[in-house]
């Protein structure tokens, strides 16, 4: 069966510090991978998605970047965090299958920038 | 998307009653829709999906209704239980690879 991991679960970082969040998927090959951010009490904002190794699409201009060094590894990074980067970061994977497909979400990382 | 900045609407129901959560979608060309449940501090979990060639689909205690004429999607939960308390998101397929998520509705079940 497929499993998605995210770490760390929680993170407190000062403004201006770098960031690296990691997401890995097990039990599937060549998945689409996604990074979302969710502010407290709000909806999901798609940040990046990837359809293959080294292929990254950015949905919104921001202080963050993403990389996919391996088929089942997706990394979210920042060189210098801003207060506005605080939020709940969710990684998801999907296999495109015909007309529809489901995205499977990881447990999330709660980031607080102080 | 434009929905992510809005505060969540809320719905409170008595335990044992039926719940109906509504969602209006914008892309009439979308052919696939999903409902997710998100408990506090966790990632969203798949509940049920429906394709545009259907207007109703039933799962265990849940039913999704799709009205393409008015671009409306609803989730019905029968005999609502305290464990159903969560935020519920609708999503529609957007392009070849993405889902576009609605604002979400916070369901609170009163024991």
């Amino acid at each position: 069966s497929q499993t998605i991991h995210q770490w760390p679960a929680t993170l407190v970082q000062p403004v201006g510090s770098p960031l690296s969040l990691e997401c890995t998927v097990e039990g599937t090959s060549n998945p689409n991978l996604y990074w979302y951010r969710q502010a407290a009490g709000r909806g999901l904002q798609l940040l990046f998605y990837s359809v293959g190794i080294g292929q990254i699409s950015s949905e919104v201009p921001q202080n963050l970047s993403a990389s996919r060094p391996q088929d089942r590894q997706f990394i979210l990074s920042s060189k210098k965090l801003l207060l506005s980067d605080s939020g709940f970061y969710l990684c998801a994977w999907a296999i495109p299958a015909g007309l529809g497909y489901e995205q499977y979400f990881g447990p999330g990382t709660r980031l607080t920038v102080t | 998307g434009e929905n992510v900045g809005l505060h969540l609407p809320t719905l409170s129901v008595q335990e044992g009653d039926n719940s109906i959560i509504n969602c209006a979608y914008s892309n009439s060309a979308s052919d696939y829709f999903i409902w997710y449940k998100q408990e506090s501090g966790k990632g969203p979990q798949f509940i049920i999906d429906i394709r545009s060639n259907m207007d109703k689909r039933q799962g265990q205690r849940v039913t999704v209704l799709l009205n393409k004429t008015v671009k409306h999607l609803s989730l019905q939960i029968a005999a609502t239980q305290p464990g159903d308390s969560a935020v519920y998101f609708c999503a529609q397929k957007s392009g070849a690879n993405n889902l576009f998520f609605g604002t979400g509705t916070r369901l609170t079940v009163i024991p």
Side-chain angles (χ1 to χ4, degrees), chain B residues 31-92:
Chain B
D31 54 15
Y32 183 71
F33 303 86
I34 304 179
W35 279 100
Y36 282 91
K37 173 186 179 183
Q38 186 179 24
E39 297 176 341
S40 181
K42 298 183 179 179
Q45 290 181 297
F46 171 87
I47 302 174
I48 192 168
D49 59 0
I50 189 168
R51 295 180 178 172
S52 60
N53 61 352
M54 304 170 67
D55 53 21
K56 180 179 180 179
R57 191 169 185 217
Q58 288 185 296
Q60 186 178 12
R61 281 203 306 120
V62 295
T63 301
V64 56
L65 299 176
L66 175 63
N67 186 330
K68 295 181 287 293
T69 302
V70 295
K71 293 189 286 187
H72 184 267
L73 192 69
S74 68
L75 178 70
Q76 301 178 0
I77 305 173
T80 313
Q81 302 169 359
D84 295 326
S85 293
V87 176
Y88 290 82
F89 291 97
C90 67
Q92 64 179 144

Side-chain angles (χ1 to χ4, degrees), chain A residues 83-97:
Chain A
L83 285 174
S84 57
D85 291 325
S86 292
F88 192 45
Y89 287 83
L90 290 156
C91 180
W93 72 272
I95 294 291

Side-chain angles (χ1 to χ4, degrees), chain A residues 26-47:
Chain A
E26 296 176 0
T28 186
S29 297
N30 197 31
N32 288 352
L33 296 173
Y34 305 83
W35 277 113
Y36 290 86
R37 177 170 57 202
Q38 186 175 33
R42 308 215 182 215
L44 296 165
Q45 180 185 34
L46 178 64
L47 302 176

Side-chain angles (χ1 to χ4, degrees), chain A residues 1-7 23-31 33 71-73 93 95 104:
Chain A
S1 63
Q2 300 87 1
T3 310
I4 180 168
H5 302 281
Q6 283 187 247
W7 64 91
C23 170
T24 59
V25 181
E26 296 176 0
T28 186
S29 297
N30 197 31
L33 296 173
D71 180 45
R72 289 170 286 180
Q73 183 185 30
W93 72 272
I95 294 291
Y104 302 88

Side-chain angles (χ1 to χ4, degrees), chain A residues 11 13 37-40 81-89 110-114:
Chain A
L11 190 60
Q13 291 283 100
R37 177 170 57 202
Q38 186 175 33
L81 283 168
L82 306 172
L83 285 174
S84 57
D85 291 325
S86 292
F88 192 45
Y89 287 83
R110 185 159 306 281
L111 171 67
T112 304
V113 182
T114 59

